[in-house]
Amino acid sequence: MTAFRLSMATRLRQTPFTHRVETSGVTAYSVYNHMLLPSVFRSLEEDYWHLRSAVQLWDVSAERQVEIDGPDAFPLIQLTTPRDLSRMQNDQCCYIPVVDDHGRLQNDPVLVRLGATRFRASLADSDLLLFYKGLASGLGMDVSVFEPDVSPLAVQGPLANELVRNVFGEDTVRLRYFRHRRVSVAGTNMVISRSGWSRQGGFEIYVEGSENGEPLWDLLFEAGHDLDIRAGCPNYIERISGGLLSYGNDMTDEHTPFEAGLAKFCNLETPLCLGHRALVEQQEPSRMIRPIEILGEPVPEIRDRWMVADEKGNPAGSISSTVWSPEFKTNVAIGMVDRHANLPGSRIVVHAPDGEREAVIRDAFWL
Amino acid sequence: MTAFRLSMATRLRQTPFTHRVETSGVTAYSVYNHMLLPSVFRSLEEDYWHLRSAVQLWDVSAERQVEIDGPDAFPLIQLTTPRDLSRMQNDQCCYIPVVDDHGRLQNDPVLVRLGATRFRASLADSDLLLFYKGLASGLGMDVSVFEPDVSPLAVQGPLANELVRNVFGEDTVRLRYFRHRRVSVAGTNMVISRSGWSRQGGFEIYVEGSENGEPLWDLLFEAGHDLDIRAGCPNYIERISGGLLSYGNDMTDEHTPFEAGLAKFCNLETPLCLGHRALVEQQEPSRMIRPIEILGEPVPEIRDRWMVADEKGNPAGSISSTVWSPEFKTNVAIGMVDRHANLPGSRIVVHAPDGEREAVIRDAFWL
């Protein structure tokens, strides 16, 4: 694996936690929504085992926030997603596939409802703010769309409950999955939800005001001392093993929610969104995202989609994410595979940079 | 300067030239529009001197293309920019500040007109595709907006004319600045324009079809052998010395075109764009982009805006880009400085990470 340096510039925005992240020993970054997203501290593998056993603080500020306020906030958001949001509560978070007129995915944020006419979306890696702005402007909607000074900080791992109990108290630990509440610590207000981009459990804290980032980081680190708390980040091994899809990697604006396995978030009984008509026609996708095991030695680093073929050697899709799992002793992978070759148990051939690899479609992810 | 590795993933898209770029020795990347943008080959300084004296091939595929086709293509584009495009010719390129309803910059692409109802925009670093999509959808416009399989490759440097003459002939060398023509080489069609993100002169080739990238790269390298051709990239030293503004660095969606010194691209006699009313009120900005010389030793790497103060110690703006120039033996810089402190010759104090620095507002950039 050749290592390339990331050239820094103000355009690749730092976060309120960047100084702490670097003091904590980050060694590699990704760039996500024009912002630095930590990707490795000690090593992917060492970070993985720690995440599976203790508690980590993650600087996920790069899940940039878009706030949508005003009388037309709800109609604007509903217009962009096939998920029926009519019963969304004021203390609820919802994962929403966002589609364009053609039913193609533009992002898949977690939407946080803060009130009847006030929402925040935690974005995947595309400037969805521009889509909302364009639509609202074109439709002359009475709504304000902007990026607030809010930065998500995740607390993830099996000991997350203990840490959060120590700092925020029992009421916060009792939060149900994808519910949030407003808390105050040392005079600072923030929203905290039970959510996060791992299968290890935990919380996301939406820190309001960049100047409050470092004090909160320090307070959590102090409170987690006996829990072996460490700085961490979304872990590539853990998220593939757990089947957490990544917009831009596993699905892009070329794919429909059905291809991405997101049918359960598509309510097509009545026309809710711009892409309704297109989605109605796309319900039987010719390809779908699948958990895939790539057999043999550890795969090399994946940098672009690896083509796959069916048993007869015909093109059958591609692999988008894969890595060696030290826990499952195999290569865990996510791919988009054509219908005729994507049933669990099907054998496919992966054209990896180091040669052809045998692989098997699985019926479920590992975690 | 601490070096961080860039973690690769399919989400950080490779370009049709990535393999060639890496064979040519790229050592650092930036990420731009979710794509790899080479940023250093040998060293910033060595790359700089070569760019000033010979010819380089630049993989600037990260200037992602948005194609806008159809009866409403022109009205859609005009709605997003205060620059009057009514006289734009079919062989012309235009630099267009794009603004939202509030007159704030969302991008500053180069727009290439390919026909009466067909345009392509070469984007700076934001997903402007989503703004066009949202607006077109909200307004029910008859237009198609998509990313074509087109990748810009720049030929830059004082010997660019010679290289282009060898490969494309005299008619192409006669192109005027910001004009383009369609050429064909080895059976491949492409659009070539006299343009590029340096002050050294040159061309940009819009390569149609990813599969045509490597053959064209090889052909140009072969033809440039006697011209000391090298792989290069937009050079941080050259672009600051030359006053080439970078969206995301020097101006963001918090700034107006007037603050960014782009008044000459704002035609406000009649309402052309969404932001018209806001722009009319913003014509006398309280701060503006300026060329700045930071005195003393070479500055450290800039990673976020450095605050500046006036001679009395009051806040007066910030520096967004700066680097040591080996040619001018000083630190060249770009900053946004408050009106009361931004006249040429004014002294300001820069709060750099290594301490306070004296600096002077200049009346012009260096190149």
Side-chain angles (χ1 to χ4, degrees), chain A residues 4-7 10-11 22 27 29-31 34 39 100-101 106 125 127 130 133 137 249 303 320, chain B residues 4-7 10-11 22 27 29-31 34 39 100-101 106 125 127 130 133 137 249 303 320:
Chain A
F4 297 99
R5 192 166 61 80
L6 175 62
S7 286
T10 52
R11 182 173 54 76
E22 296 188 0
T27 55
Y29 278 117
S30 186
V31 174
H34 318 278
S39 55
D100 66 5
D101 299 46
Q106 305 300 306
D125 184 27
D127 299 329
L130 289 170
K133 271 194 188 185
S137 180
N249 281 315
R303 293 183 52 186
S320 50
Chain B
F4 297 99
R5 191 166 62 81
L6 175 62
S7 286
T10 52
R11 182 173 53 76
E22 296 188 0
T27 54
Y29 278 116
S30 185
V31 175
H34 318 278
S39 55
D100 66 5
D101 300 45
Q106 305 300 306
D125 184 27
D127 299 328
L130 289 170
K133 271 193 189 185
S137 180
N249 281 315
R303 294 183 51 186
S320 50

Side-chain angles (χ1 to χ4, degrees), chain B residues 24-342:
Chain B
S24 302
V26 68
T27 54
Y29 278 116
S30 185
V31 175
Y32 198 93
N33 285 323
H34 318 278
M35 205 169 221
L36 297 176
L37 174 65
S39 55
V40 182
F41 283 81
R42 300 186 185 192
S43 72
L44 268 188
E45 188 166 332
E46 203 175 330
D47 295 352
Y48 174 81
W49 287 118
H50 181 265
L51 172 60
R52 293 276 280 146
S53 63
V55 60
Q56 297 184 346
L57 273 195
W58 293 2
D59 173 8
V60 284
S61 304
E63 296 169 0
R64 282 324 299 148
Q65 304 291 298
V66 172
E67 185 158 330
I68 305 176
D69 287 354
D72 288 332
F74 184 87
L76 173 60
I77 295 165
Q78 185 64 80
L79 211 51
T80 67
T81 180
R83 180 164 181 180
D84 182 356
L85 300 173
S86 59
R87 297 201 292 184
M88 186 179 186
Q89 304 297 306
N90 287 352
D91 68 340
Q92 206 176 344
C93 314
C94 280
Y95 173 80
I96 53 167
V98 169
V99 299
D100 66 5
D101 300 45
H102 303 289
R104 305 290 157 152
L105 287 163
Q106 305 300 306
N107 203 301
D108 64 335
V110 171
L111 183 69
V112 178
R113 186 168 203 161
L114 298 171
T117 61
R118 188 163 174 234
F119 298 81
R120 283 198 200 125
S122 256
L123 299 192
D125 184 27
S126 80
D127 299 328
L128 199 61
L129 176 62
L130 289 170
F131 191 50
Y132 289 128
K133 271 193 189 185
L135 259 179
S137 180
L139 292 167
M141 281 179 151
D142 185 4
V143 66
S144 169
V145 183
F146 62 98
E147 182 186 310
D149 181 13
V150 173
S151 301
L153 180 67
V155 179
Q156 299 286 301
L159 303 185
N161 277 349
E162 282 192 59
L163 177 65
V164 164
R165 182 177 291 112
N166 291 347
V167 176
F168 300 99
E170 190 59 32
D171 285 350
T172 300
V173 176
R174 288 211 195 100
L175 270 174
R176 285 182 290 149
Y177 188 65
F178 264 46
R179 296 284 170 158
H180 65 79
R181 64 194 301 262
R182 185 162 275 280
V183 293
S184 179
V185 174
T188 301
N189 287 312
M190 56 198 94
V191 168
I192 183 168
S193 62
R194 185 179 283 281
S195 57
W197 214 53
S198 84
R199 296 288 187 201
Q200 307 312 311
F203 300 82
E204 283 174 305
I205 307 171
Y206 295 90
V207 184
E208 298 173 9
S210 293
E211 70 283 5
N212 296 315
E214 293 190 352
L216 180 68
W217 176 283
D218 294 342
L219 189 148
L220 288 164
F221 244 87
E222 184 72 25
H225 184 266
D226 295 341
L227 304 171
D228 187 26
I229 191 171
R230 283 189 200 165
C233 50
N235 183 278
Y236 195 60
I237 303 170
E238 202 270 351
R239 80 114 181 136
I240 300 176
S241 312
L244 294 168
L245 304 185
S246 165
Y247 182 75
N249 281 315
D250 306 311
M251 67 277 202
T252 70
D253 63 3
E254 294 182 0
H255 300 116
T256 70
F258 298 103
E259 291 173 335
L262 304 175
K264 67 178 167 182
F265 300 110
C266 297
N267 304 113
L268 299 179
E269 297 76 27
T270 54
L272 293 174
C273 72
L274 291 173
H276 179 77
R277 195 183 301 186
L279 289 172
V280 167
E281 289 169 6
Q282 292 162 357
Q283 293 180 78
E284 302 291 338
S286 61
R287 55 185 179 181
M288 262 188 86
I289 276 184
R290 286 285 185 257
I292 298 166
E293 178 174 0
I294 302 179
L295 308 177
E297 295 296 298
V299 287
E301 185 179 55
I302 185 168
R303 294 183 51 186
D304 58 1
R305 287 178 166 265
W306 296 347
M307 296 299 111
V308 307
D310 63 20
E311 285 188 297
K312 293 177 184 162
N314 297 316
S318 61
I319 302 288
S320 50
S321 301
T322 182
V323 71
W324 176 260
S325 163
E327 182 168 358
F328 302 105
K329 312 271 188 244
T330 191
N331 296 295
V332 296
I334 301 175
M336 185 78 73
V337 185
D338 294 352
R339 185 154 54 179
H340 76 278
N342 74 15

